[in-house]
Amino acid sequence: MAFMNTNTPEGFRSGFVSFVGRPNTGKSTLTNALVGEKIAIMADQPETTRHPIRGIINREDAQVIVVDTPGVHRPRTLLGERLNDVVRDTFADVDVIGFTVPADEKIGPGDRFILEQIRKTKPNAPIVGIVTKLDKASKDTVGERLVELHELLGEDCEVVPVSAIEAVQLDVLLDILVEHLPEGPQFYPEGHVTDEDTETQISELIREEALQGLREELPHSVAVQIDEMHPDPDNPERLRIYAVLFLERPGQKKIIEGPDGRRLSGIVHRSRKQIIELLGQNVFLDLRIKVLKNWQSDPKALGRLGF
């Protein structure tokens, strides 16, 4: 992060906000809605965000860097343990924590466990309570959740109900987050929406498409890595991308491929469409499947895949 604009107006605020919560509480959807552009993948399955993603929100009076983190949970694999460590490291370095709970689920032991971790790691951090997914619950249920969250966080913490899907109360939430940020310079140039590198963004788009319709454990066994990216020698305006989709067991390959390879073809087709939109240029996508046995619990395999 070499850029830093020190010529910001008096009273300008800037800093880092981390959304923390159980898996599948709508953190990625909320991040994308606030940034105004898709930077984090969204899937129906929990535990699909695997690394912190920075989204940048520019206002005249502030620059907010939102860090979307993996959901904190009691881990079942070495990957799960490493993702929890990533979240703890992330919220140790942020200015404000947005504690997310979904409107349609009661607050439980998992939420209390996460709050405990936050207060151990960052005892003085301002916490803003966020009730997500307003569109999925009745007014009475939302009221119950707001009361529960107030009781959990303490009366001094502000609590905001939002719907990222229907863009309800996003401005209110952003105003509150900005109030808690320190005064400081602009960290990123205007127009930047993320600091994710292109290869990571592309691999995440492919993984999102691969996850569509998967159930049970298989979504957590999917990882994607970009092997190679270069201009097409036969057509310089087209980019050739060679990617590998890793799975843990041979039987999973048949599920991803689908009958006559139709499911895999659909993944390639949808991914290519999203990548073209991201890059603004024509793309040839070659996607192969490899089995990397039990990679979620193998330290060497995790290192190879960047975890």
Side-chain angles (χ1 to χ4, degrees), residues 20-297:
V20 180
R22 284 181 286 116
N24 219 26
T25 57
K27 296 182 294 295
S28 296
T29 309
L30 180 58
T31 298
N32 290 341
L34 286 170
V35 173
E37 198 168 306
K38 181 176 175 178
I39 60 161
I41 72 167
M42 298 176 290
D44 293 335
Q45 303 88 355
E47 298 171 44
T48 48
T49 300
R50 288 203 175 139
H51 62 282
I53 297 162
R54 288 177 179 172
I56 301 148
I57 304 161
N58 289 297
R59 305 199 330 180
E60 283 186 14
D61 62 338
Q63 185 174 75
V64 185
I65 299 104
V66 177
V67 188
D68 177 32
T69 59
V72 180
H73 59 291
R74 296 189 186 277
R76 300 182 305 276
T77 62
L78 181 57
L79 173 64
E81 287 175 24
R82 289 192 178 177
L83 293 184
N84 276 357
D85 289 343
V86 163
V87 179
R88 289 189 194 101
D89 289 347
T90 300
F91 62 61
D93 293 330
V94 299
D95 300 290
V96 185
I97 289 168
F99 188 90
T100 60
V101 300
D104 58 343
E105 292 176 34
K106 282 188 175 293
I107 286 175
D111 301 294
R112 286 186 275 276
F113 169 75
I114 294 165
L115 185 59
E116 210 175 276
Q117 301 301 308
I118 292 170
R119 290 196 165 141
K120 270 186 200 169
T121 311
K122 190 91 172 174
N124 300 317
I127 299 175
V128 175
I130 306 169
V131 175
T132 60
K133 305 186 183 184
L134 284 193
D135 45 289
K136 290 198 169 183
S138 67
K139 284 184 179 177
D140 288 348
T141 305
V142 171
E144 284 171 23
R145 211 60 66 243
L146 290 169
V147 170
E148 285 178 3
L149 192 51
H150 258 303
E151 287 173 357
L152 179 67
L153 298 179
E155 288 303 313
D156 291 342
C157 288
E158 291 183 84
V159 174
V160 190
V162 301
S163 167
I165 296 287
E166 296 180 353
V168 176
Q169 295 244 103
L170 296 183
D171 288 347
V172 173
L173 173 60
L174 196 51
D175 284 344
I176 291 169
L177 295 174
V178 168
E179 281 171 22
H180 287 288
L181 292 178
E183 290 190 14
Q186 193 179 347
F187 292 114
Y188 292 91
E190 292 278 347
H192 264 54
V193 292
T194 183
D195 68 351
E196 285 286 275
D197 65 82
T198 305
E199 281 196 16
T200 302
Q201 286 181 280
I202 291 169
S203 65
E204 286 291 270
L205 289 175
I206 296 168
R207 187 165 67 92
E208 179 181 47
E209 295 301 345
L211 294 179
Q212 280 196 26
L214 296 182
R215 292 289 175 266
E216 296 171 9
E217 290 303 304
L218 184 48
H220 308 126
S221 298
V222 176
V224 176
Q225 197 168 53
I226 305 301
D227 253 5
E228 217 180 313
M229 272 176 37
H230 59 75
D232 190 329
D234 302 321
N235 180 359
E237 291 180 10
R238 183 169 67 176
L239 189 68
R240 296 184 77 87
I241 300 173
Y242 296 88
V244 181
L245 192 152
F246 290 97
L247 300 168
E248 292 190 294
R249 294 186 296 281
Q252 295 172 338
K253 190 175 175 185
K254 287 182 181 176
I255 297 171
I256 291 289
E257 288 175 334
D260 302 321
R262 287 196 302 271
R263 193 175 186 285
L264 181 60
S265 295
I267 292 167
V268 172
H269 174 73
R270 293 190 306 272
S271 300
R272 181 175 169 270
K273 197 173 170 185
Q274 286 214 59
I275 295 164
I276 288 170
E277 198 174 310
L278 173 72
L279 301 179
Q281 73 173 110
N282 194 11
V283 163
F284 167 83
L285 176 61
D286 178 282
L287 180 61
R288 287 166 295 131
I289 297 175
K290 282 187 182 177
V291 175
L292 194 57
K293 193 177 176 186
N294 298 327
W295 67 262
Q296 289 187 84
S297 297

Side-chain angles (χ1 to χ4, degrees), residues 4-8 12-15 63 182-188:
M4 189 174 288
N5 181 5
T6 51
N7 297 320
T8 47
F12 190 88
R13 293 177 182 273
S14 61
Q63 185 174 75
E183 290 190 14
Q186 193 179 347
F187 292 114
Y188 292 91

